[in-house]
Amino acid sequence: MAPTLATAFSRRWWMAVTAVIENLLFSAVLLGWGSLLIMLKSEGFYSYLCKGPDNSSSLNISNTSTSEEPAEEYLEQNGWPICNDQDEMLNLAFTVGSFLLSAITLPLGIVMDKYGPRKLRLLGSACFAFSCLLIAYGASDPNNLSMLIFFALAMNGFGGMCMTFTSLTLPNMFGDLRSTFIALMIGSYASSAVTFPGIKVIYDLGATFIIILLVWAACACLVFFNCFVNWPLEPFPGPEDMDFTVKIKFSWLGFDHKITGKQFYRQVTTVGRRLSVGNSIKREHQPHKDLATQEANKLCLSTVDLEVKSKDKEETQSFMKSVLSPIFLLSLITMCVTQLRLIFYMGAMNTILESLTEGNLGTVSVYTSIFGVLQLLCLVTSPVIGYVMDWKLKDCEDENDKITKREPGEPRRPDKLIQKIINATRAFIFTNLLLVGFGVVCLIPNLPLQILSFILHTIVRGFIHSAVGGLYAAVYPSSQFGSLTGMQSLISALFALLQQPLFMAMVGPLEKDPLWVNVGLLALSMLGFCLPFYLLCHSRYLQRLRDERDEDPKIYVKMNNESKPEAFV
């Protein structure tokens, strides 16, 4: 039996803490690809593509061209041969998995906005456990079952994104701290890249790869059980609409759904007023009926009777209007560029390190482990952007304060929407500066300097997702958050597929030299400044409109319980 929203609200801290831990261990673990790649090579995945010491391969039909091409150096890892063909095939599997990690968010967002996060989280944990079993089965006979890695990584990406995406709805239960908690969830998602490096440490200590995966699958079953016990069926409404401390269902008043907080207060107040006056405006031309015999649903709130001020954002802004808004379109450009930059570096990192170390696999393994450990920085850095997004929001004027009479000479408090946009502007400027700095560091072929690129890569990855999530939560209706985030992730994932041809160009014509690829990506990164520039102009435009309204106040008419209207300035 699924818990109610009120029960879930009472357990919100437990759910938040476990969601962070579950994101760390089960969400975007595929981002720790460098360590997984080493383990897959050590287990012999696609090793049959490599040539043996006698420069022959089971896939070679003719040796007529081998004398004209430089022979590739024969290398082994854990007794299995390794080569460029193997790297390209495994990188293709990573591309498929990382694509699903982002692309699947659009249908997930649509489903979650309508049906809530519970079912998706249950499905995601089951898919993740199944992906672990597939990898373990493939490792039992890599010469014949290497192809399973494609299906396993696809399931891993899908299950991980279900875990991540559903956890982004939890911050709705934390009011004005929503952006901070969104950043914390995204930080744990980004830090999940540390999981495979951690598993690699256990693997290096002598644990069997198959046993590790079986234990991991069993742990994913615990996530399934936790979700089954604690997560409600209903979606989590936004904090601007709901107060989870009040929850009731009045079927005799015609409410066909469960309501809470402010919606409860507004609807019940309207019903009470109608009961007190006897007849509503909509029924004034109908024959008189006794109140006791009237249909209950006709006593309930109607959009005709709502004041303009009380309309929710969900009722006044369509989904297509949100999609076609400049803020969303510019955020797409920013995310596409940033995703391509980050995904290419993760996919090509081992190859770049091999070229810098002249094929020293031991050094490559050490640096890969360092990269994995640094992913924990996301847990620390991502909430920083969340704090920036929530900066001074408690001191701002909300909807209720706009109709409150101010004392003469009292300064007006800042508008909350304008403050949110200003905060987002600062967050995106800072994030894009770090992205450009990361691109500059990548241009320098120095091995110790790669640690700085690891740090910048980790910070940017946590910042950009937190900033975009906070921006969508601040600007768009909460009922559209999942769909908008999903569409953004799908489009940026499609754009990030360019990393595969870029990788093949680097290992092929460019002979493992990433210089010109990095130069092109650095130039492309400059497009990320379009969004904060627009946000800056938009916030000034909104502030100018607000100042004009203050200088030229208008008369508003408000209907009270009395028969005559009340005019106020």
Side-chain angles (χ1 to χ4, degrees):
M1 183 66 181
T4 61
L5 275 175
T7 303
F9 178 76
S10 66
R11 302 174 183 174
R12 66 191 185 280
W13 285 103
W14 166 260
M15 295 170 66
V17 171
T18 55
V20 169
I21 297 174
E22 290 166 1
N23 281 351
L24 276 173
L25 298 178
F26 304 101
S27 61
V29 296
L30 197 56
L31 299 178
W33 170 248
S35 297
L36 176 60
L37 179 61
I38 294 176
M39 290 187 286
L40 293 177
K41 287 182 175 182
S42 299
E43 292 297 316
F45 279 84
Y46 285 108
S47 290
Y48 61 81
L49 297 177
C50 302
K51 299 174 182 178
D54 57 353
N55 201 31
S56 63
S57 171
S58 60
L59 298 181
N60 285 342
I61 306 300
S62 172
N63 292 327
T64 57
S65 62
T66 55
S67 60
E68 300 176 2
E69 300 177 358
E72 183 180 351
E73 181 183 1
Y74 176 76
L75 297 173
E76 282 190 358
Q77 188 166 318
N78 198 27
W80 295 92
I82 59 175
C83 59
N84 286 338
D85 291 340
Q86 180 191 34
D87 285 339
E88 291 181 6
M89 187 62 70
L90 291 175
N91 189 74
L92 181 60
F94 166 71
T95 302
V96 172
S98 60
F99 170 75
L100 281 178
L101 193 61
S102 299
I104 200 66
T105 50
L106 177 58
L108 289 185
I110 295 173
V111 172
M112 187 177 69
D113 284 342
K114 186 171 184 179
Y115 298 107
R118 175 184 171 89
K119 296 178 181 178
L120 282 181
R121 197 167 184 86
L122 292 174
L123 177 62
S125 57
C127 288
F128 190 95
F130 186 64
S131 72
C132 294
L133 297 178
L134 277 181
I135 299 176
Y137 183 54
S140 64
D141 186 9
N143 285 330
N144 297 313
L145 300 175
S146 291
M147 67 182 69
L148 289 180
I149 194 66
F150 281 88
F151 299 100
L153 295 186
M155 297 288 287
N156 189 285
F158 173 78
M161 186 46 64
C162 286
M163 305 285 288
T164 303
F165 216 56
T166 53
S167 67
L168 294 180
T169 62
L170 276 176
N172 283 345
M173 294 192 291
F174 292 92
D176 288 335
L177 296 176
R178 176 168 58 173
S179 292
T180 300
F181 274 89
I182 287 177
L184 183 61
M185 296 301 168
I186 293 177
S188 61
Y189 148 82
S191 296
S192 63
V194 76
T195 304
F196 272 127
I199 288 178
K200 182 179 174 295
V201 172
I202 300 174
Y203 179 76
D204 291 338
L205 292 176
T208 306
F209 187 61
I210 295 177
I211 297 299
I212 293 174
L213 291 170
L214 293 178
V215 173
W216 205 5
C219 293
C221 295
L222 296 178
V223 180
F224 185 95
F225 177 75
N226 182 52
C227 176
F228 185 82
V229 172
N230 294 303
W231 286 65
L233 284 172
E234 301 95 330
F236 297 115
E240 66 275 2
D241 301 323
M242 295 297 182
D243 177 3
F244 289 91
T245 59
V246 181
K247 183 174 184 297
I248 195 166
K249 183 175 182 180
F250 279 24
S251 58
W252 61 277
L253 284 179
F255 298 155
D256 57 352
H257 56 85
K258 298 176 182 178
I259 59 174
T260 55
K262 296 178 181 178
Q263 288 186 349
F264 168 78
Y265 176 79
R266 185 166 64 242
Q267 296 193 42
V268 171
T269 301
T270 304
V271 172
R273 289 174 179 174
R274 291 182 180 177
L275 289 171
S276 65
V277 300
N279 291 318
S280 67
I281 298 175
K282 295 175 64 178
R283 299 192 307 276
E284 62 182 359
H285 299 297
Q286 297 177 356
H288 175 75
K289 293 183 180 181
D290 185 68
L291 285 178
T293 64
Q294 294 179 11
E295 295 182 11
N297 58 359
K298 292 183 179 180
L299 295 174
C300 292
L301 188 61
S302 169
T303 54
V304 176
D305 305 312
L306 283 176
E307 299 173 12
V308 175
K309 287 288 183 179
S310 67
K311 284 186 179 180
D312 290 333
K313 197 184 297 183
E314 289 83 350
E315 297 171 348
T316 60
Q317 182 168 331
S318 67
F319 177 72
M320 286 308 300
K321 183 178 179 180
S322 300
V323 169
L324 297 177
S325 64
I327 291 179
F328 182 75
L329 295 178
L330 290 174
S331 71
L332 281 182
I333 296 176
T334 301
M335 283 302 300
C336 285
V337 171
T338 307
Q339 279 286 83
L340 179 60
R341 169 75 269 194
L342 298 178
I343 292 293
F344 171 78
Y345 186 80
M346 283 188 288
M349 183 180 66
N350 282 29
T351 303
I352 295 173
L353 292 176
E354 287 177 10
S355 65
L356 293 176
T357 59
E358 299 180 352
N360 189 330
L361 298 181
T363 305
V364 171
S365 179
V366 171
Y367 273 81
T368 303
S369 299
I370 294 174
F371 176 78
V373 172
L374 289 175
Q375 301 311 301
L376 288 174
L377 281 176
C378 289
L379 272 178
V380 180
T381 57
S382 292
V384 173
I385 285 295
Y387 183 74
V388 172
M389 298 291 289
D390 289 332
W391 180 255
K392 292 185 177 180
L393 290 185
K394 291 184 178 180
D395 300 330
C396 294
E397 180 182 70
D398 58 23
E399 292 295 329
N400 294 329
D401 295 332
K402 290 182 180 180
I403 61 174
T404 303
K405 184 178 179 180
R406 288 181 291 138
E407 297 294 332
E410 180 184 356
R412 190 169 187 179
R413 297 163 64 187
D415 184 80
K416 180 169 284 190
L417 176 60
I418 296 176
Q419 185 64 42
K420 288 178 178 179
I421 295 176
I422 293 174
N423 293 345
T425 304
R426 295 168 180 166
F428 278 104
I429 290 176
F430 186 46
T431 302
N432 283 297
L433 287 175
L434 291 176
L435 181 65
V436 171
F438 169 72
V440 172
V441 173
C442 288
L443 297 176
I444 305 174
N446 181 271
L447 184 61
L449 198 61
Q450 297 306 306
I451 296 180
L452 178 59
S453 69
F454 294 167
I455 296 174
L456 291 175
H457 180 279
T458 302
I459 295 175
V460 170
R461 190 159 53 83
F463 275 15
I464 192 65
H465 289 288
S466 300
V468 171
L471 177 65
Y472 289 174
V475 177
Y476 298 113
S478 59
S479 63
Q480 298 176 5
F481 179 83
S483 301
L484 291 174
T485 305
M487 179 169 290
Q488 169 264 117
S489 298
L490 172 61
I491 296 175
S492 61
L494 288 171
F495 191 79
L497 288 176
L498 292 174
Q499 75 95 13
Q500 178 65 13
L502 289 177
F503 177 81
M504 296 185 69
M506 185 190 72
V507 299
L510 297 179
E511 299 179 351
K512 296 187 178 182
D513 185 3
L515 176 62
W516 291 110
V517 176
N518 286 329
V519 169
L521 292 176
L522 177 60
L524 203 61
S525 300
M526 298 299 176
L527 294 175
F529 288 99
C530 295
L531 177 60
F533 177 75
Y534 176 81
L535 290 176
L536 180 62
C537 297
H538 187 58
S539 63
R540 291 180 177 178
Y541 170 73
L542 293 178
Q543 185 62 48
R544 186 167 63 252
L545 290 181
R546 187 170 187 256
D547 294 340
E548 291 175 357
R549 286 196 299 266
D550 288 346
E551 294 173 0
D552 185 22
K554 297 178 176 59
I555 302 297
Y556 295 93
V557 177
K558 182 181 180 181
M559 297 298 297
N560 285 338
N561 292 337
E562 303 173 358
S563 59
K564 59 181 180 179
E566 174 187 2
F568 65 98
V569 178

